[in-house]
Amino acid sequence: MVENNSAALDIVFHALSDSTRRAMLRELAEGERSVGALAAPFSMSFAGASKHVKVLEQAGLVRRRIAGRTHYCRLDAAALAEAEAWLRYYERFWNRSLDTLEALLRAEDEREREEKRK
């Protein structure tokens, strides 16, 4: 059974609900980046990028370190693993439905082949 820390998962899925934040996470999967580097592809201000980073931090998806005036971020994938585990629990329902669909399609193909032979 999947651990269901609902409040924590709500925060993670909220953070993941924004395409900019998902793109930032993808970038951070390649390694540590400054907030300015994370902002660059989106032509957004440091303040705008910082707000996105703060949402990711609150979800536990990003850790920030400050070196002088530069804020560096790195991915913390533990919270992502919890979300992935939650999603994986429901994967079996999709697999069961797809297996049923596959069986129906194969039966229909077989029925059509039988009719052509007659």
Side-chain angles (χ1 to χ4, degrees):
M1 182 69 181
V2 174
E3 290 287 325
N4 193 10
N5 184 349
S6 184
L9 282 175
D10 289 351
I11 294 170
V12 169
F13 283 117
H14 168 71
L16 295 174
S17 70
D18 183 90
S19 63
T20 301
R21 290 192 289 267
R22 289 192 305 272
M24 287 177 163
L25 287 177
R26 191 176 311 116
E27 187 67 26
L28 291 171
E30 300 297 320
E32 185 178 79
R33 301 285 190 271
S34 68
V35 173
L38 290 172
F42 306 102
S43 300
M44 70 172 53
S45 67
F46 178 88
S50 191
K51 286 180 182 177
H52 284 293
V53 168
K54 192 169 196 146
V55 171
L56 294 169
E57 283 180 308
Q58 289 169 342
L61 297 167
V62 167
R63 301 279 181 226
R64 185 191 311 226
R65 74 176 175 85
I66 301 170
R69 297 182 62 171
T70 305
H71 293 220
Y72 291 98
C73 300
R74 66 177 170 80
L75 178 66
D76 185 351
L80 272 179
E82 291 177 26
E84 194 268 340
W86 186 88
L87 289 170
R88 194 172 336 112
Y89 178 77
Y90 295 97
E91 181 181 9
R92 65 184 169 152
F93 296 105
W94 283 105
N95 286 338
R96 191 178 315 144
S97 296
L98 291 173
D99 289 346
T100 301
L101 177 62
E102 181 181 18
L104 289 171
L105 292 173
R106 284 179 190 246
E108 186 176 312
D109 285 348
E110 185 63 31
R111 205 173 20 255
E112 287 176 3
R113 272 190 237 122
E114 289 294 323
E115 288 178 13
K116 286 181 182 176
R117 288 185 200 151
K118 292 180 183 179

